Amino acid sequence: MKTFSTTPHTDYQFNTPQHNPLNPADIARVFDSSGIKRPTDDLPRIARMFAAPCLVVSAWQAGQLVGVARALTDHAYCCYLSDLAVCKPQQGQGIGRELIRQVQAAIGDEVTLLLLSAPGAMSYYPTVGFQPAHNAFIIQRKR
């Protein structure tokens, strides 16, 4: 567990093993608070989303989940950052940046980190080191 202090009075812990696996209701609360759109009214689906990811990094404040990053990776060539969410009250304090940094530390320098941004977060990702990619294609999910 690593501690990340953003102010003299606020400490966050990342990757707290005693909270694994993460509670789907806690994850849904973070998603809802962060503004990220996920199927939070379907807790069994949220549980499936986090049941077997390759890499999960979590941020905790006073024992409460306040941020989460979920990535799928082969740990050799590519890593897809599928979720990055921080509760609104904790946004702007560097938690998202630290979650990304910890994902990068886990995958190493040989692995490309990529993501699909929500429209409302397009301006955020360049501020934390991501470059736009204009060679992506998508088949949208039906539900």
Side-chain angles (χ1 to χ4, degrees):
M1 172 176 54
K2 296 180 180 178
T3 299
F4 175 72
S5 182
T6 56
T7 67
H9 305 290
T10 307
D11 289 304
Y12 296 94
Q13 281 107 29
F14 292 84
N15 291 330
T16 309
Q18 71 264 26
H19 293 106
N20 288 330
L22 298 177
N23 182 318
D26 288 341
I27 297 166
R29 180 186 49 75
V30 170
F31 282 160
D32 287 340
S33 175
S34 74
I36 193 172
K37 301 296 181 216
R38 295 294 184 268
T40 56
D41 59 338
D42 186 350
L43 292 182
R45 188 172 179 189
I46 295 290
R48 286 194 320 270
M49 288 168 59
F50 280 78
C54 292
L55 179 58
V56 174
V57 180
S58 55
W60 300 82
Q61 181 182 37
Q64 184 173 17
L65 183 68
V66 296
V68 65
R70 178 175 67 109
L72 309 172
T73 185
D74 59 14
H75 292 278
Y77 188 75
C78 64
C79 178
Y80 170 59
L81 182 58
S82 54
D83 295 311
L84 178 68
V86 176
C87 291
K88 283 220 188 287
Q90 287 80 18
Q91 289 179 6
Q93 300 179 30
I95 298 169
R97 181 182 301 270
E98 178 65 12
L99 289 167
I100 293 167
R101 190 197 67 71
Q102 290 204 18
V103 167
Q104 288 179 291
I107 62 175
D109 292 337
E110 294 182 335
V111 179
T112 297
L113 182 59
L114 60 105
L115 61 86
L116 296 173
S117 177
M122 291 292 290
S123 62
Y124 171 72
Y125 291 106
T127 69
V128 293
F130 283 87
Q131 300 171 1
H134 301 287
N135 59 344
F137 299 90
I138 185 171
I139 297 174
Q140 287 287 355
R141 67 187 153 273
K142 294 182 183 188
R143 58 181 197 105

